[in-house]
Amino acid sequence: MKVLVIGGGAREHALCRSLSLDPAVSALHCAPGNAGIAEVAELHPVDALDGAAVEALARKLDADLVVVGPEAPLVAGVADAVRAAGIPVFGPSGEAAQLEGSKAFAKDVMAGAGVPTARSYVCTTPEEVDEALDAFGAPYVVKDDGLAAGKGVVVTDGIEKARAHANACERVVIEEFLDGPEVSLFAITDGTTVVPLQPAQDFKRALDNDEGPNTGGMGAYSPLPWADPKLVQEVLETVLQPTVDEMKKRGTTFSGLLYAGLAITGRGIRVIEFNARFGDPETQVVLARLRTPLAGILLAAANGTLADLEPLRWSDDAAVTVVIASHNYPETPRTGDPITGLDAVAAQDAPHAYVLHAGTKRDGESGPVRSAGGRVLSVTATGTDLTQARERAYAAVTRIELDGSQHRTDIAAKAAAES
């Protein structure tokens, strides 16, 4: 199987790593990729938002499967262009990707499907914003209706900060605050059958102890030793399957990866948000534990044959990912700094720990690897339990040098201590 992955972050590196280990994959390509992905896939320049360009590249490579990684190309309809050319593609249509592209659309679908979620208001004027903020009170949860790369949500006790964020958005969703731990659960679907993956938890705040601004994610771990063993089945029955069924009923079949961000509240499970693609950094830990070869699963979703798939196989090991971010992330991150220590991790920590590249680039073919984004690297490790996986991940982190970089030191610490 010849596979083309679209994207260039740590999520795509995790996907490419798993696909490169799949014996069914004879050729692996990525566009545009990054310095780390170049070690496992052949890179190609492409505008990931240009459906015609992606489709032309897939034709040129004679790809048997195209995997669209990031949300922006999905919302832009890149999967539609590839699908129209008769090439199997893993990723929803542009219309179906509105589950992530519009918070208001997602709320409407959840209402139709009877999916439990936070009460909310959709606001377009300052007057509506003030009414909604008054109705819910602090802490205020304010979400930009559109795509914001994981940084469009403000949770604050300060009404002025909440109002400022809301009024900076064209359309905004203001909702009640949900208490309780958060869980990320991915599901692969062909539009009818839904196959859930293993749950993970990510860490959105920039600093230890969940302080600092919201980010795209600073780390993750899986499994969740504190979670109810019946959690996945319950979410499948009350959230994932009803949502996929509702989308199909509306004539907007959703196939690809459906990501449910969940809060486990005192009143039960509530959906915080849906995404239409693998989450970053949860993908890094979930795929680290997946034992079933990945390409066949993604192709079955693309071809509508998921019902024929055997049950997925999982490792009993735990996995932890720690994100190394550049100076001043998530504000205006500094880029262009050299990164050292990657070879040391490969030599001393493999196979239990490895580095997945997010925002990196290499100077020429043999020059140094440099930072090229806010989140630069995801250091991922596995172990017999979370404690060992944490130790291995942080041991690898210490070998990497990037001037001014930052990372959280408490990823999975609480779960490891309690398990």
Side-chain angles (χ1 to χ4, degrees), residues 312-359:
L312 301 185
R313 301 191 312 276
W314 295 92
S315 166
D316 291 331
D317 282 356
V320 171
T321 282
V322 180
V323 170
I324 297 177
S326 54
H327 177 73
N328 205 38
Y329 176 77
E331 301 304 324
T332 306
R334 191 174 79 206
T335 60
D337 291 310
I339 303 165
T340 60
L342 298 173
D343 291 341
V345 174
Q348 299 178 54
D349 300 290
H352 302 298
Y354 48 89
V355 179
L356 297 169
H357 291 232

Side-chain angles (χ1 to χ4, degrees), residues 195-249:
V195 178
L197 305 186
Q198 289 290 305
Q201 186 175 62
D202 77 332
F203 294 75
K204 287 290 185 203
R205 298 284 187 170
L207 307 175
D208 284 4
N209 303 313
D210 290 329
E211 296 178 357
N214 255 1
T215 72
M218 295 299 291
Y221 70 93
S222 179
L224 311 181
W226 49 267
D228 188 324
K230 300 189 290 290
L231 173 68
V232 172
Q233 187 62 30
E234 183 180 347
V235 175
L236 175 63
E237 293 172 1
T238 63
V239 174
L240 299 169
Q241 190 71 57
T243 300
V244 169
D245 292 345
E246 175 70 14
M247 292 291 283
K248 190 174 185 178
K249 190 173 84 175

Side-chain angles (χ1 to χ4, degrees), residues 162-397:
R163 186 180 287 126
H165 181 66
N167 291 331
C169 305
E170 276 188 42
R171 186 158 78 151
V172 68
V173 174
I174 295 174
E175 62 184 38
E176 68 176 325
F177 177 76
L178 296 175
D179 63 335
E182 295 185 11
V183 174
S184 299
L185 186 62
F186 302 159
I188 290 173
T189 179
D190 56 12
T192 302
T193 301
V194 181
V195 178
L197 305 186
Q198 289 290 305
Q201 186 175 62
D202 77 332
F203 294 75
K204 287 290 185 203
R205 298 284 187 170
L207 307 175
D208 284 4
N209 303 313
D210 290 329
E211 296 178 357
N214 255 1
T215 72
M218 295 299 291
Y221 70 93
S222 179
L224 311 181
W226 49 267
D228 188 324
K230 300 189 290 290
L231 173 68
V232 172
Q233 187 62 30
E234 183 180 347
V235 175
L236 175 63
E237 293 172 1
T238 63
V239 174
L240 299 169
Q241 190 71 57
T243 300
V244 169
D245 292 345
E246 175 70 14
M247 292 291 283
K248 190 174 185 178
K249 190 173 84 175
R250 292 176 176 225
T252 314
T253 298
F254 187 103
S255 74
L257 195 290
L258 178 59
Y259 164 124
L262 309 163
I264 313 301
T265 76
R267 293 168 293 141
I269 294 167
R270 297 289 185 273
V271 175
I272 301 170
E273 64 175 353
F274 283 132
N275 290 337
R277 40 74 195 180
F278 280 101
D280 180 352
E282 299 98 321
T283 301
Q284 290 86 303
V285 291
V286 172
L287 292 186
R289 300 184 58 227
L290 180 65
R291 287 293 166 264
T292 303
L294 181 61
I297 307 170
L298 304 186
L299 186 63
N303 287 338
T305 57
L306 265 183
D308 302 331
L309 208 65
E310 292 184 4
L312 301 185
R313 301 191 312 276
W314 295 92
S315 166
D316 291 331
D317 282 356
V320 171
T321 282
V322 180
V323 170
I324 297 177
S326 54
H327 177 73
N328 205 38
Y329 176 77
E331 301 304 324
T332 306
R334 191 174 79 206
T335 60
D337 291 310
I339 303 165
T340 60
L342 298 173
D343 291 341
V345 174
Q348 299 178 54
D349 300 290
H352 302 298
Y354 48 89
V355 179
L356 297 169
H357 291 232
T360 67
K361 64 180 180 182
R362 187 183 290 277
D363 290 351
E365 285 191 21
S366 57
V369 175
R370 296 183 182 275
S371 60
R375 290 186 296 172
V376 181
L377 303 168
S378 285
V379 179
T380 303
T382 56
T384 55
D385 56 21
L386 286 173
T387 298
Q388 187 178 51
R390 284 191 83 247
E391 289 170 354
R392 287 172 169 173
Y394 280 107
V397 166

